[in-house]
Amino acid sequence: LRMKNLQKIKINLMTNGVDIENKALKYLYKNFGEKFYNDDYITTTGIMIELGNNFYVTSRINSKSSYKIILEQNNLILKHKRIRESIKIWEPWLCIAKNIDQKTHDLLKSNIAVSHFDRVRISPINGCNNHCAFCSMNSIKYKKNSIEDINTCLKYLLKDERVTHILISGGSPKQCDLEYLTKVYEYFCKKFPKYDFDVMTTPRGFDSYTDRSQFKPYIEHLKKIGVSGLSVNVELYNNEICAKYCPEKYKLGRDNYFYFLKIASEIFGSQNVRSGLIVGLESKKDTLKAVEEICKCGCMPMLSPYIPYNNIGNYPSASFLNDVYKKSKKIVDKYNLNLAPLCTKCQHNTI
């Protein structure tokens, strides 16, 4: 019952956001500075909250939310009707940065590297070569970040002893930059071997998105250089909706996604390959079909609630998300799999 209650609170925070009373706001400003929350891509922007035992959520700040953070005797409390839950705020590392030079500070502000709970995400690419209509990356000018600049940021963020693993993500590269991205993976996996590295990628080979003959050798190469796991995000299952909102993903084709996922599962193992789905932009039926297909590939589905952007759609209701979550759990159980990610802290923006 306790875990179910926390799961419901988490989903409500993801859909409704959280209000912060003035007293608690002053406390956060005093202790963590003005950037006590992440100001990042749309899917990871917000205040990072630890609920109870091993429940984590990133929630947008919304003065109209019925969930409120209050301060009592220097303790932060989440309040909602009969709920009074003691919480912890995980501040982004930059907001408490000490002895930081101006170059590093400016690079970190550009989101080349960002901390999310116990994970650091690094972005070899600013912006994105894809033009998904609901994604905030489209507002960022496309450019490659140098290995030197990424390294400067990563070294600084790894001073935070809470960090246990690293995600290499950012936008999808142009085909001509695929080889550069592989060099980034090789460089950082070799330089920081004590950390697990996850790579978020579209289906691809060494220098092509569509040459299937390269898929298996490329995935084997990633395993060989020390990559720990892959995130290959189908996102939308319905072809009409995908074509409308994600033209490049539609052109690449979901068959290529499932083909790549199946090979990745065989090479990395099912516990190390996941595929994200956007929950709330297409029908429940389509999302659950996608969950089933990902499981058939031997991979873990990952459920990310849709966050409205660019005047497209609305926040999915808590009841919608709860129902998708319960039915997805039954599907993954049938295949002896799990919903991803397995790291509880990395579940801060998934259900």
Side-chain angles (χ1 to χ4, degrees):
L1 181 63
R2 177 69 173 156
M3 287 183 68
K4 287 181 180 178
N5 282 343
L6 287 172
Q7 179 69 13
K8 286 181 179 179
I9 293 170
K10 175 183 172 179
I11 287 176
N12 275 297
L13 287 172
M14 295 177 98
T15 55
N16 300 315
V18 66
D19 187 20
I20 306 175
E21 69 162 8
N22 285 335
K23 190 176 175 184
L25 197 59
K26 289 177 181 177
Y27 172 86
L28 290 168
Y29 282 142
K30 180 181 177 182
N31 285 274
F32 305 139
E34 290 189 7
K35 291 296 182 184
F36 60 84
Y37 58 91
N38 259 324
D39 185 10
D40 192 14
Y41 300 134
I42 190 170
T43 53
T44 49
T45 289
I47 184 168
M48 299 190 294
I49 302 171
E50 180 179 349
L51 289 165
N53 183 24
N54 264 352
F55 267 78
Y56 302 86
V57 60
T58 293
S59 175
R60 77 187 193 279
I61 299 168
N62 177 19
S63 60
K64 296 180 180 178
S65 174
S66 57
Y67 284 81
K68 181 171 284 193
I69 294 175
I70 64 172
L71 186 70
E72 290 184 351
Q73 297 178 339
N74 279 340
N75 292 313
L76 293 168
I77 307 291
L78 181 68
K79 183 180 177 184
H80 180 260
K81 297 180 179 177
R82 295 181 181 179
I83 296 170
R84 295 178 70 84
E85 181 72 35
S86 181
I87 62 172
K88 177 183 175 183
I89 302 301
W90 281 63
E91 73 287 348
W93 184 233
L94 179 59
C95 78
I96 53 170
K98 307 289 185 187
N99 303 318
I100 184 170
D101 62 88
Q102 192 63 46
K103 180 185 176 182
T104 304
H105 183 272
D106 292 344
L107 286 171
L108 286 168
K109 282 189 72 176
S110 71
N111 289 331
I112 289 177
V114 179
S115 59
H116 302 128
F117 294 96
D118 66 343
R119 179 188 74 199
V120 167
R121 188 211 68 230
I122 59 177
S123 299
I125 303 291
N126 269 13
C128 186
N129 190 47
N130 290 352
H131 300 87
C132 300
F134 52 79
C135 182
S136 61
M137 282 193 186
N138 292 323
S139 63
I140 303 168
K141 185 178 179 181
Y142 182 96
K143 81 174 185 74
K144 289 189 294 186
N145 293 316
S146 71
I147 286 178
E148 179 187 0
D149 285 348
I150 298 169
N151 185 58
T152 296
C153 292
L154 183 56
K155 280 199 305 181
Y156 187 83
L157 291 179
L158 291 181
K159 292 179 180 180
D160 183 351
E161 295 179 353
R162 299 173 300 181
V163 175
T164 61
H165 56 294
I166 297 161
L167 172 68
I168 307 181
S169 177
S172 294
K174 297 176 181 178
Q175 186 157 294
C176 62
D177 291 330
L178 287 175
E179 291 184 45
Y180 168 72
L181 223 67
T182 304
K183 288 180 182 177
V184 172
Y185 305 155
E186 292 169 345
Y187 179 87
F188 287 105
C189 287
K190 183 179 179 181
K191 180 157 188 179
F192 299 98
K194 68 176 273 192
Y195 294 96
D196 286 339
F197 278 85
D198 277 357
V199 166
M200 190 174 289
T201 181
T202 49
R204 56 160 291 190
F206 290 95
D207 57 16
S208 171
Y209 280 118
T210 54
D211 182 359
R212 281 191 173 195
S213 68
Q214 293 187 24
F215 284 6
K216 184 176 181 181
Y218 185 70
I219 296 168
E220 288 174 336
H221 178 71
L222 294 181
K223 177 77 171 173
K224 183 180 177 181
I225 64 174
V227 172
S228 306
L230 299 178
S231 184
V232 186
N233 299 329
V234 171
E235 292 190 335
L236 295 171
Y237 184 79
N238 184 293
N239 273 327
E240 288 184 13
I241 294 175
C242 188
K244 180 179 179 181
Y245 294 124
C246 307
E248 290 87 1
K249 289 177 80 76
Y250 172 74
K251 186 177 179 181
L252 181 55
R254 71 185 185 197
D255 286 349
N256 274 328
Y257 274 86
F258 292 135
Y259 182 74
F260 192 90
L261 282 167
K262 189 173 186 303
I263 298 170
S265 172
E266 292 167 356
I267 293 170
F268 276 88
S270 61
Q271 299 293 300
N272 299 307
V273 185
R274 61 188 185 271
S275 183
L277 297 170
I278 296 171
V279 183
L281 197 55
E282 58 185 355
S283 72
K284 192 180 299 181
K285 182 179 178 182
D286 282 328
T287 297
L288 294 174
K289 278 183 182 177
V291 169
E292 186 98 33
E293 289 299 322
I294 291 165
C295 288
K296 285 180 181 177
C297 295
C299 303
M300 299 182 296
M302 183 169 66
L303 305 175
S304 299
Y306 176 60
I307 299 173
Y309 181 76
N310 205 21
N311 295 315
I312 297 171
N314 300 300
Y315 283 95
S317 68
S319 61
F320 183 93
L321 293 177
N322 270 308
D323 196 39
V324 170
Y325 172 75
K326 289 175 184 176
K327 289 175 178 174
S328 296
K329 279 285 289 177
K330 287 182 180 179
I331 295 170
V332 297
D333 287 347
K334 182 174 74 172
Y335 288 89
N336 293 314
L337 292 166
N338 298 286
L339 288 175
L342 296 179
C343 169
T344 54
K345 294 181 181 69
C346 289
Q347 294 167 7
H348 67 102
N349 60 347
T350 67
I351 57 173

